[in-house]
Structure formats: structure tokens, C-alpha cells
Amino acid sequence: MLDYIEQTFNRANLQVVRGLLINDIGDLNSIDKRRYKQKIDEDSAPMWRYLETTYPDRAKLDAVFMDISKAITAYQDVYFEIGLKCGARLLHQLLMERDIE
């Protein structure tokens, strides 16, 4: 069985993107139109409330936050690279496609 990362790469295909765009597979109403800073501030507020309540000692809160930041950075790095690789696959497919009708 393929893992979810390999499944992501397998979906990086022009025909899949075409299906999304032409056949309306996807929900345009679910597009988040908030600015990045607003999205980060609003979506992280519950986490901050929880952490500040759970760790009233600032030193402990800072240590926990550093651990969380390290984990988030790892996810960010991996998924950024996956996104670039998927984009490169699609670009390669576009450039190598020769039987355009």
C-alpha cells in the first residue's frame, strides 16, 4: 500500500487537475479568502489560549512552544518540498506532452 506522500505525487497529474477544473470536483465555497496573517492569528488563537492556560509558567510555555515550532517547521519543510515536486511533475508533463490536439 502506498503511503500518503506517494499518493500525493501520484495525483500530481494533468488529467487529475483537469478533472478538478472541468468536472468541478472540489468545493469553491471552501476557499479561504482571509489574508495570511489573519488566518494564522485566528486559527492559532485557540492553541495559544490552551497553552497559556496549561503552562502559566512562561519558561515552560516557551519550551513547549519551541517543541511545537520544531514539529511545525518539519511539516512545513516537507510539504513545501512535496508541493514543489508536484509542481515540477506537472510542468514536466506539460513540456513533454507532444500529442496536443
Side-chain angles (χ1 to χ4, degrees):
M1 176 177 228
L2 298 174
D3 67 23
Y4 67 95
I5 293 174
E6 188 62 31
Q7 290 172 353
T8 299
F9 284 124
N10 288 340
R11 287 191 300 268
N13 182 287
L14 289 175
Q15 293 176 9
V16 174
V17 173
R18 182 206 60 220
L20 173 65
L21 297 174
I22 294 175
N23 301 323
D24 194 27
I25 303 168
D27 182 8
L28 293 178
N29 295 321
S30 68
I31 295 173
D32 192 338
K33 295 183 177 162
R34 295 177 289 174
R35 295 187 169 277
Y36 293 140
K37 183 172 181 350
Q38 179 185 6
K39 179 174 177 44
I40 289 170
D41 290 346
E42 291 175 358
D43 291 355
S44 66
M47 176 196 68
W48 280 111
R49 282 192 298 274
Y50 172 79
L51 289 174
E52 288 168 348
T53 301
T54 305
Y55 303 100
D57 173 35
R58 185 63 191 198
K60 183 64 175 171
L61 174 62
D62 289 345
V64 169
F65 179 71
M66 291 303 293
D67 290 342
I68 292 170
S69 294
K70 185 176 180 181
I72 290 171
T73 299
Y75 284 112
Q76 174 183 303
D77 291 350
V78 168
Y79 284 104
F80 179 79
E81 289 181 23
I82 289 170
L84 284 177
K85 287 180 180 181
C86 287
R89 280 185 181 208
L90 293 172
L91 179 59
H92 180 264
Q93 189 175 357
L94 278 170
L95 295 173
M96 298 310 292
E97 188 66 41
R98 297 192 198 296
D99 60 343
I100 298 174
E101 297 178 29

